[in-house]
Amino acid sequence: MRGQVADLRNVKDQISHGPSESATQRQHAMGKLTVRERIGLLLDERSFTEVNPLRQHQATGFGMENKAPYTDGVVTGWGTVEGRTVFVYGHDFRIFGGAQGEAHAAKIHELMDMAISARAPLVSLHDGGGARIQEGLTALAGYGGIFQRNAQASGVIPQISVILGPYAGGAACSPALTDFVFMVRSISQMFISGPDVVRAVTGEDTSPDTLGGADVHAEVSGTAAFVYDDEQTCLNEVRQLLSLLPSNNQEAPPAVSATDRPDRRCEALLELVPADSHRSYDVRKVIETIVDDGELLEVQERWAANVVCALSRLDGQVVAIVANQPWRLAGVLDTEATEKAARFVQFCDSFNIPLVTMVDVPGFLPGLAQEHGGIIRHTAKLLYAYCNATVPRIQLVLRKAYGSAYVVMDSRSIGADLSFAWPTNEMAVMGPEGATDVIFRRQIAEADDPDAMREDLVKKYKRELMHPYYTAQRGLVNDVIDPAETREVLIRSLAILRTKRAGMPSRKHGNSPM
């Protein structure tokens, strides 16, 4: 027995060190960590339990029968992050370039099934060259099993994909099916068709980074929710995100003891937001002033920046914030902003995270490009997400709230539980200048001094239909509040809504706008 245990230890040591020292050196030379180094950074120290480390492929032909390393190029198992169970799998680029074969896929399938059964988050560390060509369609079919499980786990457990190398072909659909995608500059690339295929088919000359690098997916495609400069920071931020999420859809997000007073007045807000609705400001500073210790984790920060989606805490409780960003495109809603906000709202509702929507929106971005790009369809996505959400929902109108965009930004009319407004609020069917031009077109045209007449009528419209208390008098908002008291009002409101129970009609599933 002692001899056999010694043999086992030798095998396990061989597995933990990888295929060879030279392979590890090549991985490091590319500026990348090994899969076990990555898992060590992600999980709590000495918490990882590996499953199926002795698995080998059974393929023959093309010399495969002579190369059957342990793990088959993927490390699978579970551990903890801040003491809470997390399942993880990671490709080992040192073995077959991280390419997926039949046994490789079977290991991932089994781990995903375990994560769903255990109702614990799943983190995937991607660094591989797609399907293993030597194994033919059996390797490719393995992705189907992953996609199916991604869909089954959606809305049940949090799924996080971390791209830490190349990830190409149909395999790239798996990260897109998960809740959040992390990428690292200079080492992460993700695309369906690689540069060589693009060049051959379209004649376009491109590089992996230009085609599907981290910055491209952060700014252009919107696929990457988070992008960092190095793997250590990236994996640390994955830990931070997990600390804000429940383990599954049957649990509340993890609460912590707050060090920031719940009744802290936010006097800085009186200066941060200009009363003049034509002046811009950074709504992130507003959010930082209100939330615990000024800390927030912004999702898709560089894509559709005219809306901010962030996770934070109020009095130690996790809260999701959706806010128009006047600093970018005056905070208008467009196709990308509505799509971004819709998916965020849907995710938060899936995992019991209360929603606070901060409104300063002049309307929708006009133009042929927007209409032809499906602004109606994309806006319907956001409406659908809000109208379906059963978590506590609070609307806070900071300044402008014009037209249908006001309704879409979680107004009481579509189901917000509470709505508050600052005394700087301007809520109307449209801006005063546009409304005056429509209502009083003839009077202005016939006036001796059209400019003076228009100016007087604009003031009259503001005075009668856009004064700060107009909506509160008609029950469209619950109260007009002192901005400095915003933090306390939100915390008290969320506390009373914490026991909210909202039912939905019985159905298999809705037919959400595409």
Side-chain angles (χ1 to χ4, degrees):
M1 176 67 75
R2 292 183 186 278
Q4 290 178 332
V5 169
D7 289 341
L8 174 62
R9 286 176 179 167
N10 288 334
V11 170
K12 291 293 184 72
D13 284 344
Q14 176 188 336
I15 292 171
S16 65
H17 285 94
S20 68
E21 182 60 29
S22 60
T24 299
Q25 290 174 357
R26 286 194 297 272
Q27 182 81 352
H28 288 162
M30 290 186 286
K32 301 194 295 183
L33 300 175
T34 66
V35 61
R36 295 182 188 279
E37 289 170 338
R38 291 164 174 166
I39 291 173
L41 288 171
L42 173 67
L43 300 178
D44 297 338
E45 188 175 0
R46 300 179 65 83
S47 70
F48 182 56
T49 298
E50 188 172 355
V51 290
N52 292 319
L54 299 172
R55 189 68 185 265
Q56 295 174 304
H57 72 75
Q58 304 300 311
T60 59
F62 304 101
M64 292 294 289
E65 62 275 11
N66 301 319
K67 296 182 292 185
Y70 291 122
T71 75
D72 200 43
V74 63
V75 177
T76 59
W78 70 84
T80 59
V81 172
E82 296 187 0
R84 298 164 62 221
T85 299
V86 173
F87 286 81
V88 60
Y89 72 85
H91 301 111
D92 192 339
F93 194 80
R94 299 169 299 174
I95 298 175
F96 300 125
Q100 177 177 286
E102 183 178 16
H104 180 123
K107 288 180 63 175
I108 296 174
H109 296 167
E110 182 176 343
L111 188 85
M112 295 179 77
D113 290 339
M114 292 175 67
I116 295 170
S117 296
R119 294 294 193 266
L122 175 68
V123 178
S124 51
L125 309 177
H126 300 285
D127 184 7
R132 198 175 297 168
I133 298 172
Q134 299 95 320
E135 295 192 31
L137 280 178
T138 55
L140 195 61
Y143 285 117
I146 293 174
F147 301 155
Q148 182 189 37
R149 288 166 175 81
N150 285 142
Q152 290 174 345
S154 182
V156 179
I157 58 173
Q159 298 180 83
I160 299 172
S161 297
V162 190
I163 314 302
L164 298 170
Y167 209 56
C173 292
S174 177
L177 285 167
T178 62
D179 299 308
F180 300 101
V181 175
F182 286 71
M183 297 184 76
V184 177
R185 292 184 184 88
S186 77
I187 67 169
S188 302
Q189 297 97 31
M190 185 167 52
F191 33 70
I192 294 290
S193 302
D196 292 340
V197 175
V198 170
R199 190 176 300 111
V201 174
T202 70
E204 296 171 298
D205 193 13
T206 186
S207 67
D209 270 338
T210 303
L211 184 61
D215 289 324
V216 169
H217 287 302
E219 297 177 11
V220 182
S221 76
T223 304
F226 305 96
V227 169
Y228 300 99
D229 290 328
D230 60 82
E231 293 191 50
Q232 291 88 340
T233 303
C234 178
L235 293 167
N236 187 60
E237 290 302 303
V238 174
R239 288 175 60 89
Q240 173 65 13
L241 175 59
L242 286 167
S243 75
L244 295 166
L245 304 180
S247 293
N248 57 66
N249 64 347
Q250 299 300 308
E251 296 182 4
V256 298
S257 297
T259 56
D260 199 347
R261 289 189 0 258
D263 60 349
R264 170 175 58 81
R265 285 181 61 82
C266 305
E267 299 289 347
L269 295 176
L270 302 176
E271 306 295 332
L272 281 174
V273 179
D276 181 356
S277 62
H278 293 95
R279 292 177 58 193
S280 68
Y281 62 93
D282 188 348
V283 78
R284 289 174 298 187
K285 296 186 182 299
V286 174
I287 300 170
E288 289 169 359
T289 303
I290 295 170
V291 300
D292 290 358
D293 303 309
E295 296 180 353
L296 69 151
L297 184 63
E298 187 174 351
V299 178
Q300 292 178 302
E301 178 181 354
R302 294 162 59 193
W303 184 66
N306 41 319
V307 67
V308 170
C309 298
L311 294 169
S312 190
R313 293 183 187 273
L314 282 169
D315 198 28
Q317 302 287 336
V318 177
V319 64
I321 297 169
V322 178
N324 302 114
Q325 174 59 291
W327 178 72
R328 182 68 177 265
L329 296 176
V332 297
L333 291 177
D334 60 8
T335 54
E336 292 183 346
T338 48
E339 182 177 346
K340 170 181 171 178
R343 192 162 195 268
F344 184 69
V345 168
Q346 185 171 273
F347 170 82
C348 294
D349 184 54
S350 295
F351 292 102
N352 311 310
I353 302 174
L355 289 157
V356 173
T357 303
M358 298 184 179
V359 184
D360 191 346
V361 61
F364 294 96
L365 184 64
L368 280 173
Q370 287 295 304
E371 297 295 342
H372 293 179
I375 184 65
I376 296 172
R377 177 168 48 85
H378 284 80
T379 301
K381 291 180 184 179
L382 182 53
L383 275 170
Y384 189 90
Y386 269 129
C387 291
N388 260 347
T390 60
V391 293
R393 292 157 52 189
I394 298 176
Q395 182 195 50
L396 175 65
V397 181
L398 308 182
R399 210 169 53 171
K400 299 184 299 296
Y402 294 159
S404 299
Y406 147 71
V407 177
V408 171
M409 291 298 292
D410 205 21
S411 63
R412 293 197 70 193
S413 62
I414 64 169
D417 298 295
L418 290 167
S419 178
F420 301 102
W422 287 358
T424 45
N425 78 80
E426 295 181 3
M427 303 172 69
V429 174
M430 62 175 64
E433 292 82 4
T436 299
D437 291 340
V438 171
I439 299 171
F440 304 110
R441 181 184 294 112
R442 181 174 296 177
Q443 293 94 314
I444 293 171
E446 294 174 352
D448 294 334
D449 187 345
D451 291 339
M453 171 67 77
R454 183 176 185 273
E455 185 177 345
D456 288 342
L457 291 172
V458 167
K459 291 178 180 178
K460 179 182 178 181
Y461 183 87
K462 282 185 174 182
R463 186 170 58 250
E464 295 183 6
L465 296 177
M466 290 183 63
H467 63 79
Y469 313 117
Y470 178 85
T471 50
Q473 290 167 354
R474 286 155 180 79
L476 298 173
V477 300
N478 294 100
D479 199 7
V480 178
I481 64 172
D482 178 351
E485 296 176 353
T486 301
R487 173 177 166 82
E488 183 176 6
V489 169
L490 290 177
I491 288 173
R492 286 184 174 184
S493 300
L494 289 168
I496 199 65
L497 291 170
R498 200 164 293 138
T499 53
K500 172 185 175 182
R501 294 293 181 269
M504 295 294 287
S506 177
R507 60 184 177 186
K508 184 175 181 181
H509 57 73
N511 185 25
S512 62
M514 299 300 291

